Amino acid sequence: PLITRCETELLRLSEEEVDILVSKDRPDPDDLRKHWANFADAEVWQLARKRPPWYAGGFGHPDYQADLAHWARTPSFTIAEATCLSVGVDPKHFTSRCLKGLSGGDREKFGPPLIFLLERHEQLQRVFGQDRERPVKAKYFADWAVKVEFEIHPDFLDLLQRYHGDGANSAAEAGEAAQPAKREIDKIAQLLTAMAIDDYGYDPDARRNKVHGELADLAAGMGLDIHPDTIRKYLRIGSEFLPEDWKQSRDKSLNE
């Protein structure tokens, strides 16, 4: 929504006004740059005041997003790691030492996202013990989260239950019987990725993509509730199967 509001505001400007806005060397008789700065500051400030949703993987910043599939395969976590992963944040950004130092800081100087993370860390410490290095078993963490309806990133909880739930051992014992389901998921992920590339201009190599939100909106319009992070996960899975020359092959096919 913030990006949409910024785009709407910018589209109201003429090309001449945009040139003035981005060039500090040009005269600005109408204070366009001041107007834009005030607008941007106000919008960002309103966003910063909001308590971040529990499912905001990486707090909405791609550089902070955790590889949930990788971490979910880990048999246990430190309390700091469990804190970060519960909201989709890569634990490398907030270590146990870092969180301990921040806990003793002046919280009036912290933004709501950081306070939210610290409060969650303190909650998990009370549940699993004050020792910051004490490991928390993945299965125990998942079972507890379900039991008390703890708000946790849905993809992370799904992966924890898949790898460490009661059915995990029986699936492993089934051996080859579990493989066809994975192959089917991989094939569906590949199909989703191909359609996203062809119909929505999805680029797996791009640092940022809007297609996750667009597909989620498409599903919502049909009464289907699919979070963008779930779409991102399966697009990432499907993209792993693309050959290195997939762009050249696609261009050649289109030309033919």
Side-chain angles (χ1 to χ4, degrees):
L2 175 62
I3 293 174
T4 300
R5 289 196 294 273
C6 290
E7 288 178 342
T8 301
E9 186 71 13
L10 288 171
L11 287 171
R12 293 174 180 167
L13 304 177
S14 67
E15 291 188 12
E16 176 71 15
E17 289 173 324
V18 172
D19 288 338
I20 294 174
L21 190 65
V22 300
S23 176
K24 294 183 179 180
D25 297 331
R26 296 193 57 177
D28 185 11
D30 298 323
D31 286 333
L32 287 171
R33 287 192 288 271
K34 182 178 180 181
H35 168 75
W36 171 252
N38 291 337
F39 167 80
D41 288 346
E43 293 297 321
V44 173
W45 173 245
Q46 288 299 320
L47 183 67
R49 290 180 59 195
K50 296 179 181 178
R51 185 179 181 89
W54 57 269
Y55 52 78
F59 291 149
H61 195 296
D63 291 345
Y64 277 76
Q65 291 177 352
D67 185 346
L68 298 178
H70 164 75
W71 281 97
R73 294 183 176 93
T74 304
S76 62
F77 320 102
T78 65
I79 295 175
E81 289 171 346
T83 300
C84 292
L85 293 169
S86 69
V87 291
V89 173
D90 193 319
K92 70 181 180 182
H93 295 292
F94 296 95
T95 62
S96 297
R97 180 178 297 180
C98 173
L99 289 172
K100 181 181 179 181
L102 290 171
S103 295
D106 184 1
R107 299 199 179 187
E108 292 185 359
K109 298 180 180 180
F110 298 158
L114 186 54
I115 294 175
F116 169 76
L117 192 68
L118 292 174
E119 290 176 347
R120 171 156 290 203
H121 183 239
E122 292 167 356
Q123 178 184 15
L124 294 182
Q125 280 186 315
R126 288 194 294 270
V127 174
F128 297 109
Q130 293 297 321
D131 183 356
R132 69 178 188 275
E133 297 301 333
R134 179 181 178 183
V136 179
K137 291 186 177 180
K139 178 176 175 15
Y140 184 35
F141 181 60
D143 291 346
W144 171 81
V146 172
K147 181 180 179 179
V148 303
E149 298 181 352
F150 181 68
E151 292 181 325
I152 185 173
H153 195 294
D155 289 347
F156 187 51
L157 180 59
D158 176 65
L159 290 167
L160 287 178
Q161 292 177 319
R162 185 189 309 175
Y163 297 145
H164 306 284
D166 293 333
N169 291 334
S170 60
E173 293 170 358
E176 292 299 322
Q179 293 304 312
K182 181 181 184 306
R183 285 198 295 269
E184 290 177 4
I185 291 175
D186 288 343
K187 290 297 182 182
I188 293 173
Q190 292 174 55
L191 178 60
L192 173 64
T193 302
M195 295 173 67
I197 291 173
D198 193 57
D199 296 335
Y200 289 86
Y202 172 61
D203 185 355
D205 299 325
R207 185 174 180 81
R208 288 179 171 82
N209 280 288
K210 294 183 178 181
V211 67
H212 316 107
E214 293 176 357
L215 290 174
D217 291 342
L218 175 66
M222 301 178 185
L224 303 174
D225 183 15
I226 305 177
H227 195 272
D229 283 347
T230 301
I231 297 172
R232 181 181 289 105
K233 177 180 73 173
Y234 287 104
L235 286 176
R236 186 185 300 119
I237 292 173
S239 300
E240 292 176 354
F241 293 89
L242 289 170
E244 292 184 1
D245 62 344
W246 69 269
K247 289 184 179 180
Q248 293 88 333
S249 299
R250 180 173 181 268
D251 292 342
K252 181 179 179 181
S253 176
L254 291 175
N255 291 331
E256 292 177 351

